[in-house]
Amino acid sequence: MSNTVNAVNTTRKFIKSRLLNDRSSFHGYDAERQHVRDLLERTAEHGESNSALLLGPRGSGKTTLVSSVLVELLVKESFHRNSLIVYLNGLIHIDDRQALKSATAQMNLENAVDGKVFGSFAENLAFLLECLKAGDRKKSKSVIFLLEEFDLFCSHHNQTLLYNLFDVAQSAQAPICVLGITARLDVVELLEKRVKSRFSHRQIFLLPQEDDFDGRLELFADLLKLPTEKDMHQFQKTHPAIPSEALSNDELSMLRNLFDPQRFTFTAKWVTHWNRHIDALVKNAAVQTALRNIYDYDVQEGPFRLLLLELVSNLDKSQPVITVEWVQQLGKSYESDDKVKLIVGLTVLEICLLIAIKHHSEIYDRDPFNFQMILTRYSKFANGSSSMQGIERSVVLKAFEHLKHLEFITPITGDDLSKVQKEYQLHRLLLTYGQIAQAVQRMQFLPTEISQWAQSSLV
């Protein structure tokens, strides 16, 4: 019994460590990853100057991609001896003075600038790069600038930092690579004209892969399986230790503490048992349905890792393996929508008005509506309904007002609303059609004729 408890505890710690700390493994986007690797490698080993932007939604893996490339490159002596990595973050370095101070510290040049005063950012940067030269340009160390939250640097005064970095890269004054990382896909439009003219316009996009559910199932298995003895040997070959001198600044020192499966020990019997169970989960139809629902909501790997963290946290001696029910519950909780829960709590009259608004919006392509329009559409249904007849106009108006207070609909601002009667004020729908349809399905005591009306063709 104690052996099982120990195995479960170690398994939980191992998978949590992998989900949170594994920055050396990157899934998918092979061409984009190779592009980034080539840029950094050419700068460090051949002294080429480059600039590029890495763009993609939050959670798509931009920072993980760069980290995984650095893990590979920093073990190569030709890379870590010939390059310096300067990490700047737009959330931390909010102006050029802070950025320059941090860059100076990361380049280990605090003593070189001690007591020296320069007139401009450009002169400071030029002096720093000059300090790296060892007599001639060929022996100058290459500098790789990683600009996280790149779009925030666009708000700096005159975009001086970006201008000077791109200018150095374009004119090849010193071998540098500027790699901006941002979730703003339109970030190039934020650049000033003079900055844009010096940017190489290399843009590497990490766009969601929305039609690769098989890849999601593979990822589910890869992240949850335990390593076999063969996997451990392979890991030792492909992940040699990073030299300590390759990590000269605090931001990249996190790579010292990379995920290391060799810190965890499992019996071969437990690994076989656990991995067979994960394989069975992947093949289970209910699990696939739950994972498909999650995938349809969000295709990003980052949020998916956090969901798996919830699953693994449930492991204990009473429940030593992940169950189908856990995955199903995870899928349901991920689907949960607070607005849908509010809609389910509406009265029958209020849900009827929402259905009428939905039909009106579908017919007129979400054009604005007023109470009188919706009342006409609702009355047409109510007159043929056995359960909704005889409701007074004032009661219907009160229900319409309640929908507005709940912010399911909102008045269109612009005109003076005080001059327009309530019945004729134009409104817009703030719900999706899917939210209304989902709520109708969940309402247990809704009359059948109303459910059918919600699903019927437009009338």
Side-chain angles (χ1 to χ4, degrees):
M1 181 67 180
S2 61
N3 290 338
T4 302
V5 172
N6 290 336
V8 170
N9 290 338
T10 307
T11 299
R12 186 173 62 243
K13 291 177 183 177
F14 170 83
I15 299 178
K16 279 186 174 182
S17 179
R18 171 190 276 164
L19 293 173
L20 295 173
N21 301 325
D22 187 4
R23 288 178 292 275
S24 60
S25 301
F26 187 77
H27 304 89
Y29 303 107
D30 293 334
E32 292 83 354
R33 188 178 183 279
Q34 188 60 42
H35 195 164
V36 171
R37 182 191 168 110
D38 290 343
L39 280 175
L40 302 186
E41 208 164 19
R42 288 203 301 269
T43 300
E45 298 185 5
H46 304 293
E48 294 184 18
S49 292
N50 297 296
S51 60
L53 290 176
L54 185 59
L55 309 168
R58 297 198 181 279
S60 58
K62 301 181 294 298
T63 304
T64 305
L65 181 150
V66 175
S67 296
S68 68
V69 169
L70 288 175
V71 168
E72 280 188 15
L73 293 179
L74 285 170
V75 298
K76 298 173 63 176
E77 186 174 354
S78 59
F79 184 87
H80 80 256
R81 291 206 180 279
N82 296 328
S83 64
L84 285 172
I85 299 170
V86 176
Y87 176 92
L88 300 176
N89 191 311
L91 292 170
I92 301 170
H93 307 105
I94 58 176
D95 57 39
D96 291 344
R97 183 184 59 81
Q98 291 187 10
L100 187 67
K101 184 177 180 181
S102 179
T104 303
Q106 293 181 53
M107 294 160 76
N108 295 319
L109 294 175
E110 299 100 319
N111 293 333
V113 300
D114 188 33
K116 292 183 173 61
V117 179
F118 303 102
S120 69
F121 182 90
E123 289 173 327
N124 276 282
L125 181 63
F127 177 75
L128 291 178
L129 295 174
E130 191 69 29
C131 289
L132 296 176
K133 295 184 179 179
D136 60 73
R137 179 171 297 185
K138 290 183 180 179
K139 293 182 181 178
S140 174
K141 274 207 169 191
S142 303
V143 186
I144 296 170
F145 286 89
L146 302 178
L147 305 184
E148 192 92 49
E149 304 293 345
F150 178 85
D151 53 295
L152 298 181
F153 289 100
C154 296
S155 63
H156 287 195
H157 181 65
N158 291 335
Q159 297 184 356
T160 307
L161 172 71
L162 300 182
Y163 173 80
N164 283 282
L165 289 178
F166 287 154
D167 187 54
V168 172
Q170 186 189 55
S171 59
Q173 299 171 27
I176 77 168
C177 176
V178 183
L179 180 60
I181 305 168
T182 178
R184 284 284 300 263
L185 301 183
D186 62 341
V187 71
V188 174
E189 302 305 316
L190 302 179
L191 297 176
E192 292 180 0
K193 188 175 181 180
R194 65 181 189 133
V195 180
K196 195 183 295 186
S197 67
R198 282 160 176 76
F199 173 49
S200 70
H201 289 273
R202 281 192 189 89
Q203 298 183 63
I204 305 167
F205 290 92
L206 263 62
L207 299 177
Q209 299 173 337
E210 299 178 355
D211 55 352
D212 187 25
F213 180 64
D214 290 338
R216 174 53 59 89
L217 291 178
E218 288 180 19
L219 180 63
F220 177 82
D222 289 344
L223 292 175
L224 293 181
K225 278 188 174 182
L226 299 178
T228 62
E229 191 172 339
K230 181 180 177 182
D231 295 331
M232 296 293 278
H233 287 309
Q234 184 64 26
F235 183 87
Q236 291 172 359
K237 288 182 181 178
T238 56
H239 293 74
I242 298 174
S244 59
E245 64 269 22
L247 302 167
S248 58
N249 59 73
D250 293 336
E251 287 80 4
L252 285 168
S253 65
M254 63 180 183
L255 294 178
R256 295 181 195 272
N257 304 315
L258 283 171
F259 168 70
D260 181 7
Q262 299 172 86
R263 293 190 294 114
F264 302 88
T265 55
F266 303 95
T267 64
K269 183 178 179 181
W270 173 259
V271 170
T272 302
H273 167 72
W274 177 270
N275 289 349
R276 283 178 179 171
H277 179 73
I278 298 300
D279 285 332
L281 280 179
V282 172
K283 294 176 183 177
N284 186 285
V287 169
Q288 290 189 9
T289 300
L291 293 179
R292 165 64 78 176
N293 289 339
I294 294 172
Y295 187 73
D296 289 342
Y297 270 87
D298 194 343
V299 300
Q300 309 291 4
E301 181 177 329
F304 183 63
R305 281 173 173 261
L306 294 179
L307 286 177
L308 295 186
L309 202 61
E310 291 185 38
L311 279 183
V312 177
S313 298
N314 292 330
L315 293 173
D316 56 29
K317 62 182 180 181
S318 62
Q319 189 57 65
V321 292
I322 297 171
T323 66
V324 175
E325 290 74 21
W326 287 0
V327 182
Q328 287 179 309
Q329 189 60 41
L330 194 66
K332 288 179 182 177
S333 67
Y334 201 72
E335 286 178 23
S336 65
D337 185 324
D338 291 337
K339 284 193 173 181
V340 172
K341 292 178 182 177
L342 283 174
I343 299 170
V344 170
L346 295 178
T347 65
V348 174
L349 173 59
E350 289 163 349
I351 196 69
C352 283
L353 291 182
L354 275 185
I355 294 170
I357 293 170
K358 171 177 175 284
H359 284 177
H360 178 278
S361 298
E362 287 175 325
I363 293 172
Y364 296 106
D365 195 22
R366 282 192 171 266
D367 275 359
F369 54 86
N370 59 33
F371 169 73
Q372 194 60 45
M373 296 175 185
I374 301 308
L375 178 63
T376 301
R377 187 166 298 280
Y378 160 74
S379 298
K380 185 175 180 181
F381 163 74
N383 290 336
S385 167
S386 59
S387 57
M388 300 304 297
Q389 293 179 358
I391 299 178
E392 297 180 8
R393 175 190 173 95
S394 60
V395 176
V396 180
L397 179 58
K398 189 72 174 177
F400 188 85
E401 290 288 309
H402 188 227
L403 296 179
K404 183 163 64 174
H405 291 317
L406 290 172
E407 297 185 354
F408 293 153
I409 59 177
T410 184
I412 296 178
T413 57
D415 298 330
D416 188 355
L417 298 180
S418 62
K419 296 179 181 179
V420 183
Q421 287 183 302
K422 286 195 296 185
E423 292 91 332
Y424 299 100
Q425 289 176 0
L426 289 177
H427 293 73
R428 286 192 183 278
L429 178 63
L430 297 180
L431 299 170
T432 66
Y433 303 148
Q435 286 173 321
I436 297 173
Q438 201 174 359
V440 169
Q441 291 176 354
R442 292 188 185 182
M443 295 182 77
Q444 297 180 355
F445 302 108
L446 196 65
T448 305
E449 56 191 358
I450 296 176
S451 300
Q452 292 174 343
W453 179 44
Q455 300 168 13
S456 67
S457 57
L458 304 179
V459 292

